[in-house]
Amino acid sequence: MPTYKVSVATVATGNYLFGGTMDNISISLVGTHGETHKFQLDKFGKDFSPGKVSEFVVETQMELGDILLVRLHKEPYGFFPPTNWNCSFIEVETPEGQTHRFPCYQWILGYPTFELREGTGEIFPPSMKLLEGNRCQLEDSNSHN
């Protein structure tokens, strides 16, 4: 049975008072060969406190292939009133040892489902350097016309 490790971090290190939540947080991993069921991220206690990084193990019966995105679900918890949550990112480590990072860096209000795509947070990743050079050449040629 393939196993995927998931790390979830929230940000609130002084700047985000009340950045954590008591709401239920679940994820689904979506790959090129399929999608997992909704997996609740829950341990004993408050898992999503401001600034805390929590690690969970997601087990699935299927091989997912390349991870394309993560679906993040926020749902009510019992009788507690709804709270906003500041999610920084989700990291997924595959059984092959590859780590995929899915940035979020936003407040999650209410009870939505988010689809997070992999990202590095670089201004210009290496594959974009060529496009940056082409854009500069195009701007130079347009300024001479």
Side-chain angles (χ1 to χ4, degrees):
M1 172 182 319
T3 301
Y4 291 85
K5 287 184 180 176
V6 179
S7 294
V8 179
T10 58
V11 174
T13 52
N15 293 335
Y16 301 111
L17 189 60
F18 306 113
T21 187
M22 289 293 290
D23 292 332
N24 287 322
I25 305 296
S26 305
I27 66 165
S28 304
L29 303 178
V30 180
T32 54
H33 301 306
E35 177 178 348
T36 66
H37 65 281
K38 188 166 39 170
F39 182 84
Q40 185 170 344
L41 304 177
D42 187 31
K43 293 182 179 179
F44 184 74
K46 189 173 180 184
D47 297 313
F48 305 101
S49 299
K52 185 174 181 181
V53 176
S54 299
E55 189 171 288
F56 303 89
V57 176
V58 178
E59 294 181 356
T60 179
Q61 298 281 338
M62 69 176 81
E63 176 59 44
L64 296 175
D66 293 332
I67 303 295
L68 301 174
L69 60 92
V70 169
R71 285 202 179 96
L72 182 64
H73 314 275
K74 184 172 175 280
E75 299 168 323
Y77 177 72
F79 59 87
F80 286 97
T83 55
N84 300 331
W85 178 48
N86 187 273
C87 175
S88 293
F89 61 88
I90 295 175
E91 282 185 351
V92 177
E93 184 180 323
T94 66
E96 297 80 30
Q98 294 177 321
T99 300
H100 302 274
R101 188 177 179 106
F102 301 88
C104 186
Y105 299 106
Q106 60 186 310
W107 286 94
I108 299 176
L109 314 175
Y111 302 116
T113 294
F114 274 84
E115 291 187 348
L116 304 175
R117 296 180 188 212
E118 187 172 15
T120 60
E122 296 178 25
I123 294 174
F124 283 106
S127 61
M128 298 294 288
K129 295 290 185 196
L130 179 64
L131 294 177
E132 180 184 17
N134 289 347
R135 183 187 58 128
C136 291
Q137 287 176 353
L138 183 61
E139 287 175 354
D140 285 344
S141 66
N142 286 340
S143 67
H144 295 298
N145 290 333

